[in-house]
Amino acid sequence: MSEIAQPVDLAIGRRLNPDAVGWTRRPLHRTSLPRTGRVKRWEYWGVMTRRFVLGLTIADLDYANLTQIYAYDRLRRHEVALDTTDLGPLRPGLPDDLPPFTAASGPLKFADHGRGTRISVEHERVKVALEAVGGDDALGVVVPWSPRRFQYTLKEVARPVSGTIEVDGEREAVLAGWGVLDRGRGIWPHRMTWNWGAGSGDVSGRLLGLQLGGKWTDGTGQTENGLFVDGRLHHWIDDLTWEYDLEDPESTWTVTGPDVEAVLTPFHRREASTQLGVIASRTHQAYGRWSGWARGSRGVTYRLDGLVGWAEEARNRW
């Protein structure tokens, strides 16, 4: 895998630009793509605080715009899932510009600015006003399934967040939470399955972020795996092995490779599905605490005990 250090166009028309294949430490890919023809765009923020778990998504899928707001109250063991779908030419879309930009759909809004990102939700059941501090490195990867099917994804892990969250009248003043950004732009195959895991936290005075991926990148020569240490990315080029049991919601998720042995012990399990005719998806997501170890690019090993985050399997058809 090659590291890309200068801005580059993701595509030439509807075909993958060979010069775009690689990974970056910054959002350097210009992702100008057609508005139709199996084109998928999304912005996702996952947030974990002492009390709440949030999963916030804006997805632009050709003729459909999906807005998903998920909130889980760890104290009351209470969850809220709000999904809306907009169809037709007047639906809100997502920009292809390099950040900073604003993505908005219904009550959900992500607004980049020079110091970070404002995350807001204005709904009668869920109200969010958070500030995610801008990070140093990010992990951008282009997955080349074929010259006409390809995906750009950007992950930013362990971004400190603060502000307020209110779910069904219960409010938390967030002083030290964690945010994870997942941004995607690409032209997709009909079916796809992926694994994703992320963890954030302070461990022994170091700010650590764990980014793990699998299945959808296997065999492409590209990976979205790495460790962030005090904002600096240590990228791993090897595919990882995932072990989990979807039939047992309390079972652990184990992810291993030459530079990592990470185990997620869940405290909550979420299952979500979407059925929109030809579009269908099913996601199993476990939220919990990570343990184990990971190695940086200079051979230093870091303990992962104390990181909070999630691991998931998702199956997508459209």
Side-chain angles (χ1 to χ4, degrees):
M1 291 184 66
S2 60
E3 181 177 356
I4 295 171
Q6 299 295 327
V8 62
D9 291 323
L10 174 63
I12 302 172
R14 299 189 61 87
R15 298 181 68 89
L16 174 64
N17 178 8
D19 293 337
V21 178
W23 64 279
T24 68
R25 297 180 184 274
R26 298 288 189 276
L28 296 176
H29 283 82
R30 295 184 290 257
T31 58
S32 179
L33 293 169
R35 302 310 301 185
T36 60
R38 310 200 59 78
V39 179
K40 184 172 184 177
R41 300 168 172 85
W42 75 82
E43 298 283 318
Y44 171 89
W45 275 94
V47 176
M48 297 192 70
T49 72
R50 294 185 64 180
R51 178 165 182 174
F52 290 109
V53 170
L54 299 177
L56 309 172
T57 307
I58 301 174
D60 182 355
L61 314 175
D62 281 355
Y63 55 84
N65 194 93
L66 307 181
T67 306
Q68 298 177 320
I69 299 169
Y70 176 78
Y72 176 67
D73 186 335
R74 297 166 62 181
L75 180 62
R76 294 189 295 163
R77 297 186 178 181
H78 169 72
E79 63 181 2
V80 175
L82 306 169
D83 296 351
T84 59
T85 303
D86 294 304
L87 302 173
L90 298 181
R91 63 186 173 80
L94 284 174
D96 279 329
D97 306 327
L98 288 171
F101 57 73
T102 296
S105 181
L108 181 55
K109 183 177 181 180
F110 309 136
D112 294 333
H113 55 84
R115 300 176 304 281
T117 304
R118 295 185 184 93
I119 304 169
S120 60
V121 180
E122 286 293 338
H123 189 275
E124 60 182 5
R125 298 190 63 187
V126 179
K127 301 183 186 301
V128 175
L130 294 174
E131 183 76 21
V133 176
D136 294 320
D137 284 356
L139 175 55
V141 177
V142 171
V143 184
W145 298 306
S146 76
R148 293 186 178 274
R149 297 288 183 262
F150 50 89
Q151 174 64 43
Y152 165 70
T153 180
L154 180 85
K155 301 293 196 300
E156 296 187 17
V157 187
R159 289 183 58 173
V161 298
S162 59
T164 59
I165 300 172
E166 183 177 322
V167 178
D168 283 343
E170 295 291 320
R171 188 175 185 274
E172 178 188 16
V174 179
L175 301 178
W178 301 107
V180 175
L181 169 65
D182 176 18
R183 171 175 294 144
R185 306 289 189 272
I187 302 179
W188 275 51
H190 179 56
R191 295 178 183 271
M192 183 59 59
T193 300
W194 68 83
N195 289 127
W196 180 31
S200 305
D202 288 304
V203 180
S204 301
R206 311 300 294 265
L207 173 58
L208 299 184
L210 184 66
Q211 163 57 37
L212 308 169
K215 285 191 170 68
W216 73 326
T217 58
D218 292 354
T220 67
Q222 308 298 309
T223 64
E224 52 168 359
N225 306 319
L227 180 70
F228 294 81
V229 180
D230 295 330
R232 183 66 174 174
L233 169 65
H234 302 260
H235 181 228
W236 303 322
I237 62 173
D238 295 285
D239 292 333
L240 303 179
T241 300
W242 289 68
E243 297 180 11
Y244 50 90
D245 183 358
L246 297 182
E247 301 301 321
D248 181 1
E250 297 183 357
S251 66
T252 59
W253 293 58
T254 302
V255 187
T256 56
D259 296 297
V260 62
E261 185 173 302
V263 179
L264 182 86
T265 302
F267 57 69
H268 178 61
R269 172 81 166 268
R270 176 196 179 197
E271 294 190 20
S273 62
T274 299
Q275 298 291 333
L276 293 172
V278 297
I279 298 175
S281 67
R282 186 169 186 84
T283 301
H284 298 265
Q285 190 170 28
Y287 296 97
R289 297 176 178 86
W290 290 97
S291 60
W293 59 269
R295 188 162 35 239
S297 55
R298 295 183 179 179
V300 179
T301 299
Y302 301 88
R303 296 299 305 177
L304 304 177
D305 304 8
L307 298 189
V308 293
W310 57 82
E312 71 177 34
E313 181 194 272
R315 297 178 180 271
N316 183 280
R317 185 192 79 236
W318 76 302

